[in-house]
Amino acid sequence: MATPDWLPAEIRDRARLRALAAGECLFHQGDATVAIFLVETGRLQLVRHAGGARQVILHTARAGDMFAEAALFSPVYHCDAVATAASQVRVYPKRALLAALRRDPGVAARFMELLAHQVHALRARLQERDIRSARERVLHHLALAAGPDGRTVSLDGTLMDLAAEIGLTHEALYRALAALEKDGTIERTASGIALRDAV
Amino acid sequence: MATPDWLPAEIRDRARLRALAAGECLFHQGDATVAIFLVETGRLQLVRHAGGARQVILHTARAGDMFAEAALFSPVYHCDAVATAASQVRVYPKRALLAALRRDPGVAARFMELLAHQVHALRARLQERDIRSARERVLHHLALAAGPDGRTVSLDGTLMDLAAEIGLTHEALYRALAALEKDGTIERTASGIALRDAV
DNA sequence: CGAGTGATTGACTTAGATCAATGACCGTGG
DNA sequence: CCACGGTCATTGATCTAAGTCAATCACTCG
């Protein structure tokens, strides 16, 4: 699953799968960059060691997330990647990838498109965090996550995952959903959530 | 200022500057895409009209921010861009940009690099928002924003801007900074903030 | 000099985090 | 086949840190 459709078949098919135990390290800050990665299962944290003993978590990559893309343009990794749960990551060698990007403008264009969309999605998630009210934040998220009909949101993961994604505790999310359902703003079905008409 | 160094001189030099009054609209959702933009001064909001009367703010672009990059890969804009203050935006025509990206692999590589770095920065800001405590959030931000020495952070904008960037009210930021200074974790200078050694 | 903006601090309130308990469900191993 | 451990969903009670409102001071700019 989550096979990237943007990269050429010869790279996609040759990409190794690397298994990591919980706590295991995929690469260290300062290591020469050799690949970028896609999380197939599990969870990795990207951690930067700043001045002194300070550790700064830069990102938590979950199933489906690509990470270390910037490694393509840097000789060394700028953070550690540590599995915080048993994980499997797909490994895309930098050398082959760069060659493909240089050789085939179509591949390059699709990669740029992917990155541009990620930038957008991240900006939207960030803007979402500026909404303090749990209720409004949830509504904002549902409106964005709604399918083409603009109303129905299918829930694939758990509500706990959703809560983490929008930056609420799961309790706060449950309560917000319960309140929204009670006052008729949303309807909950087995497969997801439906937005009722806004007035 | 903020002149993008990644795009070829012929595009950079030919780019028009467009002035917008507060409330004026730069483009509408559904318009054919003709350009991407860089905010020189002011502030623009990107707003999507979802199902019904729902409006979702996707992003607020400030001075120095590029926006609508994804327009390069879409025939139409997927949101409105509205100036929420009198603004000036640099206009980079899509046609010329795409041609340059296709023609010159070096330009394409630098653009990919820019996008990859943006993705990183955004992920880090998002992760930062997962920190609930104002104190810890501020420390996280300072550690990341620290210069090469890992200690000193130069403040260019106002503290109010900083507060907005890290998702706190300015009062909360002032208090957090005051507390950090009182217990000796940071030192404040005219030009910025210095982190003391972590124990 | 007044108007406007930023920095700062105080007082108060509240929404969401935290802690806790319960029930449903699901796979698994004896 | 069923008891058991685990995860998820849900709700209640409580607490607190951050938001909100408000006032003051310093500073700049025309």
Side-chain angles (χ1 to χ4, degrees):
Chain A
M1 65 153 85
T3 317
D5 54 346
W6 58 273
L7 40 68
E10 70 266 23
I11 292 182
R12 201 191 321 151
D13 299 342
R14 228 177 300 179
R16 301 230 164 286
L17 193 61
R18 161 113 191 244
L20 293 146
E24 201 178 342
C25 197
L26 179 61
F27 57 74
H28 285 284
Q29 189 168 338
D31 287 355
T33 49
V34 294
I36 72 173
F37 307 91
L38 180 81
V39 184
E40 299 256 334
T41 65
R43 195 176 56 227
L44 291 273
Q45 274 194 346
L46 304 185
V47 183
R48 173 167 307 167
H49 301 280
R54 243 172 240 302
Q55 278 206 170
V56 181
I57 301 174
L58 291 176
H59 182 49
T60 304
R62 293 157 199 285
D65 293 344
M66 189 169 63
F67 66 96
E69 305 93 333
L72 290 176
F73 309 103
S74 165
V76 295
Y77 292 107
H78 290 291
C79 54
D80 290 3
V82 183
T84 53
S87 307
Q88 292 183 302
V89 297
R90 189 66 63 176
V91 181
Y92 299 107
K94 171 179 174 176
R95 190 174 208 58
L97 213 45
L98 277 180
L101 288 173
R102 208 169 306 256
R103 187 188 333 119
D104 185 341
V107 171
R110 267 171 285 150
F111 187 55
M112 285 185 245
E113 185 175 357
L114 173 75
L115 288 174
H117 283 315
Q118 287 205 14
V119 167
H120 277 347
L122 285 166
R123 281 180 189 158
R125 284 181 64 185
L126 203 51
Q127 182 83 39
E128 189 167 276
R129 298 296 184 97
D130 286 338
I131 304 171
R132 317 242 187 236
S133 149
R135 178 195 171 90
E136 294 309 312
R137 190 131 113 209
V138 169
L139 275 178
H140 180 280
H141 189 84
L142 291 176
L144 266 189
D149 64 354
R151 292 208 184 154
T152 33
V153 180
S154 73
L155 288 179
D156 29 290
T158 69
L159 287 179
M160 295 184 86
D161 290 343
L162 179 62
E165 190 175 328
I166 67 183
L168 294 173
T169 59
H170 53 273
E171 296 99 321
L173 174 62
Y174 293 141
R175 283 189 246 268
L177 287 176
L180 285 168
E181 191 174 25
K182 193 159 88 173
D183 68 27
T185 312
I186 64 171
E187 252 173 284
R188 303 174 70 176
T189 66
S191 60
I193 297 174
L195 285 160
R196 285 279 197 75
D197 284 336
V199 183
Chain B
M1 63 154 86
T3 317
D5 53 347
W6 58 273
L7 40 68
E10 71 267 22
I11 292 182
R12 201 192 321 152
D13 299 342
R14 228 178 300 177
R16 300 230 164 287
L17 193 61
R18 160 113 190 243
L20 292 146
E24 201 177 343
C25 196
L26 179 61
F27 57 76
H28 284 283
Q29 189 168 339
D31 287 355
T33 49
V34 294
I36 71 174
F37 308 90
L38 179 80
V39 184
E40 300 254 334
T41 64
R43 195 176 57 225
L44 292 273
Q45 273 194 345
L46 304 186
V47 184
R48 173 168 306 167
H49 302 279
R54 241 172 242 303
Q55 278 208 167
V56 181
I57 301 175
L58 292 175
H59 181 50
T60 304
R62 294 159 200 283
D65 293 344
M66 188 170 61
F67 66 97
E69 304 93 332
L72 291 175
F73 309 102
S74 165
V76 295
Y77 293 106
H78 291 290
C79 54
D80 290 3
V82 184
T84 52
S87 306
Q88 292 182 303
V89 297
R90 190 66 62 175
V91 180
Y92 299 107
K94 171 179 172 176
R95 190 174 208 60
L97 213 44
L98 277 180
L101 289 173
R102 208 169 307 256
R103 188 187 332 118
D104 185 341
V107 171
R110 265 170 287 151
F111 187 55
M112 285 185 247
E113 184 175 357
L114 174 74
L115 288 174
H117 284 316
Q118 287 204 14
V119 167
H120 277 346
L122 285 166
R123 281 181 189 155
R125 283 181 65 184
L126 203 51
Q127 182 82 39
E128 189 166 277
R129 297 297 183 98
D130 286 338
I131 303 171
R132 316 243 187 237
S133 148
R135 178 195 171 92
E136 294 308 313
R137 189 130 115 209
V138 169
L139 275 178
H140 180 281
H141 190 85
L142 292 176
L144 266 189
D149 64 355
R151 294 209 182 153
T152 32
V153 181
S154 72
L155 289 180
D156 29 291
T158 69
L159 286 179
M160 296 186 85
D161 290 343
L162 178 63
E165 190 176 328
I166 68 183
L168 294 172
T169 58
H170 55 273
E171 296 98 321
L173 174 62
Y174 294 141
R175 283 189 247 267
L177 287 176
L180 286 168
E181 190 175 24
K182 193 160 89 173
D183 67 28
T185 312
I186 64 171
E187 253 173 283
R188 303 176 71 177
T189 65
S191 60
I193 297 175
L195 283 161
R196 284 280 195 74
D197 284 335
V199 183

